[in-house]
Amino acid sequence: MIAILDATCPLRQKAEVVRFVEQRGLRVQVSELETRTLVGILGGGDEALAAELRALPGVREVRTVAPPYPLVSREHHPSATVVRVGDVEIGGDEVVVMAGPCAVEDEAQILRIARAVAASGARLLRGGAFKPRSSPYSFQGLGQEGLELLAAARAETGLAVVTEVVAPEDVELVARYADVLQVGARNMQNFRLLSAVGAQPRAVLLKRGLMATIEELLMAAEYVSSAGNPRVILCERGIRTFESATRNTLDVSAVPVLKEKTHLPVIVDPSHAAGRRELVPALARAAVAAGADGLIVEAHHAPETAASDGRQSLTLEAFDALMRDLARLAAALDRRMPRAAGITSGS
Ligand code: PEP
Ligand code: MN
């Protein structure tokens, strides 16, 4: 439920409305807009409350059919949220690219890939230290050692680090090393994990579940935000459909739909959507053309020997070529991309 107050409503009346709602044990979110003030009532409120609110001085309108995710909805917060990670702004004019291997394998691997993707213009380094694998027999990641290697790669290249956390009890450990905590597709509705990443200050990259609707993704983001962390970046990474020509089906339309429904930044992972590296550049371009704030892309110096997701990982040369293409596309769309040295001269 949202109460809409006149912009001219005196502070005292606004405070009165907030106190009125809080006295009934409900939490509020106040957004000051140019022409009005919105008082979002978190977790509901019934018709009787709506009628009482309508009778209060300064209340212009009460909407009872507001989205169930008030903190992340655009209705409450019409201007786009920019999530800052170091000197990188996600959700602004720049098309921000995060890149790296699916998993951290060893020091030489992560340093080599980090140097190359940095030279190609990536702004964040990705790499899993804790891997949620479909099979218990597959490589599960290096754990804390992987986090240490990511931190070493950051120290050398200056790239911020995004890495996955798979369990609430690991949040503190991962947050000690990472700049952005990734919640993977399989954990999008792990509500204890969402609350745990919401209770710490690092930005969160929240990936859409394989079978999740856009509304479920937004509700998952609401969990993180309501636990105290508004720095959430959403990621469309392909959903499961009847189609088997690709690993998943990239839901390009999720980008403009999310942009309409939420103020949070939206990025796309073309690698897990495609499942095959040949398709990754086309999906990456489609995502940027559709209005994505950025991309997260898997790249590896030797994809054929990668410990995981080699089939969908771009070679470092292919990643460099993609970045050049994206820079042209970004310019055509009035978006920015950092000028890159390229891997031949830069690494
Ligand atoms: C990953 O980023 O390597 C990953 C496991 O992604 P997802 O959760 O989207 O499958
Ligand atoms: Mn992967």
Side-chain angles (χ1 to χ4, degrees), residues 102 126 131-132 164 182 184-186 207 210 237 269 272 298 309:
C102 178
R126 65 146 291 148
K131 295 303 302 174
E164 182 160 355
Q182 174 174 325
R186 288 154 195 82
K207 298 186 93 177
L210 280 71
R237 46 78 73 208
D269 174 347
H272 289 85
E298 287 183 341
D309 285 349

Side-chain angles (χ1 to χ4, degrees), residues 115-321:
R115 283 187 205 115
V117 298
S120 298
R123 303 280 266 149
L124 281 88
L125 174 66
R126 65 146 291 148
F130 293 94
K131 295 303 302 174
R133 305 305 302 280
S134 302
S135 163
Y137 309 115
S138 301
F139 176 58
Q140 303 287 315
L142 296 180
Q144 183 162 358
E145 186 193 344
L147 297 173
E148 286 163 8
L149 295 177
L150 285 166
R154 172 178 52 212
E156 187 174 319
T157 59
L159 293 176
V161 163
V162 51
T163 194
E164 182 160 355
V165 56
V166 296
E169 60 272 23
D170 294 339
V171 167
E172 201 206 317
L173 172 71
V174 179
R176 234 186 285 148
Y177 293 92
D179 301 285
V180 180
L181 303 188
Q182 174 174 325
V183 173
R186 288 154 195 82
N187 268 319
M188 190 206 81
Q189 286 189 316
N190 180 339
F191 300 115
R192 284 196 46 224
L193 180 60
L194 296 175
S195 297
V197 296
Q200 59 77 53
R202 302 270 185 227
V204 174
L205 175 63
L206 177 60
K207 298 186 93 177
R208 180 179 181 184
L210 280 71
M211 307 287 277
T213 63
I214 289 172
E215 173 145 333
E216 286 164 340
L217 173 60
L218 290 166
M219 291 308 294
E222 186 79 9
Y223 258 93
V224 179
S225 204
S226 69
N229 187 354
R231 301 175 68 219
V232 182
I233 303 154
L234 302 174
C235 180
E236 160 61 36
R237 46 78 73 208
I239 50 175
R240 184 166 285 179
T241 69
F242 56 82
E243 183 53 72
S244 57
T246 47
R247 182 175 177 185
N248 291 286
T249 298
L250 180 64
D251 183 6
V252 180
S253 50
V255 176
V257 171
L258 284 167
K259 286 270 156 199
E260 182 181 77
K261 292 189 180 300
T262 178
H263 53 87
L264 297 176
V266 178
I267 70 164
V268 166
D269 174 347
S271 309
H272 289 85
R276 289 195 283 136
R277 78 180 65 86
E278 299 78 17
L279 305 177
V280 168
L283 299 190
R285 291 191 300 262
V288 173
D293 294 298
L295 298 167
I296 182 164
V297 180
E298 287 183 341
H300 198 287
H301 62 283
E304 58 296 340
T305 62
S308 58
D309 285 349
R311 187 65 192 86
Q312 69 196 29
S313 298
L314 293 178
T315 62
L316 300 179
E317 294 73 24
F319 177 72
D320 192 62

